[in-house]
Amino acid sequence: MSLDQWETFHRSGAIVTGPAGPDGGYDLELRAAWVEFFSTLGPTASVLDIGTGNGAVPLIARQAAQAQGYAWDIHGIDLARIDPVRDVADGARRFEGIGFHPGVAAEKLPFEDARFDAVTGHYALEFTRTPEALAEIFRVLKPGGDAQFIVHHADSVLIRSARQSLAECDLVLKETKLYRRLHALVTMEQVTPGSTEHATNELRAAIQAVKQAIPQARHAGGGRVLDVALDAVQKLLNARKQAPAATVGLEVDRAEADLRASARRLNDLVEHACPEARMDALQAEAAAAGFTLIERLPQYHAGNNLVGWQLLLHRP
């Protein structure tokens, strides 16, 4: 998963803050982990990054090579239709010489055996079918080659933030049905004193419930989803005065669909984060694929903020 994917899950406001440097890549301890890994590679090394997203790790690899006067053969694959050269600011210059391969699964890599000196992945391996992906990674690594992955930790600040955002999504979508209440009011075709009052009271109660939840959400480090939902409701209520009911109703539906899509992505993130037991299983899968010198370490960012697992593998 790319930095952009987990840093901002959706424009609707389901936010998970992630560590980013000034150029959109990784900084501090996260960057240091990659720089240290790349420091062992020789002048003609070849590198493959899986789940490359916006190309943050290949960019660090390119910079590490340039710092030593080396020219490495660097590639990035992603199952998504990524195009960092097009989508990242100044991408043509920053990614010059890096080959990106969109629509490629880590479980079926389009490279010959023993092609790469190193394989990497940042928040990527845990989203694959790991036994198959590890077998493919082993296949394309040269004997003596190494792989390093940063994997989501089930107790990290990122996952705690995702869980908080999910709870807020549930409050808006399921408990209060805020958008459904709003839709009922703004699209009401037969306006009668009784029906209008009922719809208004239901929406007012939903809004009040969301407002009451905000202090506790902020105390837990969240609140963004609730703030954005309330802001959207206010804007859509105002739009009702100027636009046809059907048009406003469509906008309400779009806002709800956006938040539901965001919740699905957050849930996917939480489900794939790795507790100790999952990391034990992942290391066993790596051993079954043929890797040795298997090591895992907790990965921190900005001091004591736990953000992931660092997993190191060696192909004998």
Side-chain angles (χ1 to χ4, degrees):
M1 176 179 281
S2 74
L3 175 65
D4 289 342
Q5 286 174 304
W6 60 268
E7 186 180 74
T8 304
F9 268 78
H10 206 268
R11 62 182 175 83
S12 66
I15 301 298
V16 178
T17 301
D23 63 354
Y26 303 110
D27 68 357
L28 301 177
E29 294 94 334
L30 283 173
R31 182 179 181 84
W34 288 115
V35 170
E36 181 180 1
F37 177 74
F38 291 131
S39 69
T40 64
L41 300 181
T44 60
S46 54
V47 178
L48 172 66
D49 186 53
I50 69 165
T52 198
N54 63 358
V57 174
L59 181 59
I60 295 174
R62 181 174 184 267
Q63 293 166 345
Q66 289 176 328
Q68 300 177 81
Y70 295 163
W72 292 347
D73 181 29
I74 304 170
H75 295 263
I77 65 104
D78 202 300
L79 189 58
R81 294 292 173 182
I82 50 101
D83 188 351
V85 172
R86 179 196 64 196
D87 297 334
V88 175
D90 197 21
R93 179 190 64 81
R94 295 172 72 189
F95 297 114
E96 183 179 1
I98 298 175
F100 289 107
H101 309 268
V104 172
E107 297 87 348
K108 193 173 182 180
L109 296 171
F111 303 104
E112 65 270 24
D113 295 356
R115 170 73 169 75
F116 296 99
D117 295 282
V119 176
T120 61
H122 198 118
Y123 299 145
L125 181 63
E126 63 269 41
F127 295 95
T128 69
R129 297 190 302 276
T130 49
E132 296 170 51
L134 287 165
E136 274 292 271
I137 291 163
F138 185 89
R139 180 184 67 79
V140 301
L141 264 174
K142 296 177 181 178
D146 294 298
Q148 175 171 280
F149 303 99
I150 304 296
V151 177
H152 277 295
H153 196 302
D155 296 323
S156 74
V157 293
L158 304 175
I159 301 305
R160 290 202 303 270
S161 179
R163 290 193 185 104
Q164 174 62 38
S165 292
L166 266 176
E168 294 176 35
C169 289
D170 283 347
L171 178 64
V172 172
L173 297 170
K174 298 178 182 179
E175 296 177 38
T176 66
K177 297 181 174 62
L178 181 64
Y179 286 122
R180 290 296 86 206
R181 308 294 188 197
L182 177 62
H183 188 278
L185 179 61
V186 301
T187 60
M188 189 171 293
E189 294 182 1
Q190 304 217 344
V191 179
T192 65
S195 64
T196 303
E197 182 181 5
H198 177 72
T200 300
N201 287 340
E202 285 203 324
L203 177 60
R204 189 174 291 143
I207 291 172
Q208 187 61 27
V210 171
K211 285 182 176 179
Q212 289 175 347
I214 287 177
Q216 184 177 353
R218 286 181 179 160
H219 181 72
R224 175 66 175 160
V225 173
L226 304 183
D227 286 335
V228 170
L230 289 175
D231 182 63
V233 168
Q234 187 58 56
K235 288 177 178 176
L236 289 165
L237 282 172
N238 291 336
R240 183 183 56 159
K241 303 172 185 177
Q242 303 171 347
T247 300
V248 180
L250 287 174
E251 289 302 316
V252 175
D253 289 343
R254 184 175 291 112
E256 181 176 5
D258 284 349
L259 188 56
R260 289 189 183 280
S262 180
R264 286 193 295 272
R265 283 188 283 273
L266 287 164
N267 190 64
D268 188 50
L269 171 61
V270 170
E271 285 186 348
H272 285 88
C274 297
E276 292 271 357
R278 175 63 186 120
M279 288 303 297
D280 290 342
L282 192 56
Q283 289 182 252
E285 291 167 0
F291 287 104
T292 60
L293 305 178
I294 300 168
E295 181 181 9
R296 81 175 188 238
L297 300 166
Q299 178 67 52
Y300 295 90
H301 179 263
N304 61 352
N305 293 311
L306 179 65
V307 294
W309 297 101
Q310 181 185 24
L311 179 65
L312 294 160
L313 310 173
H314 177 75
R315 175 176 176 175

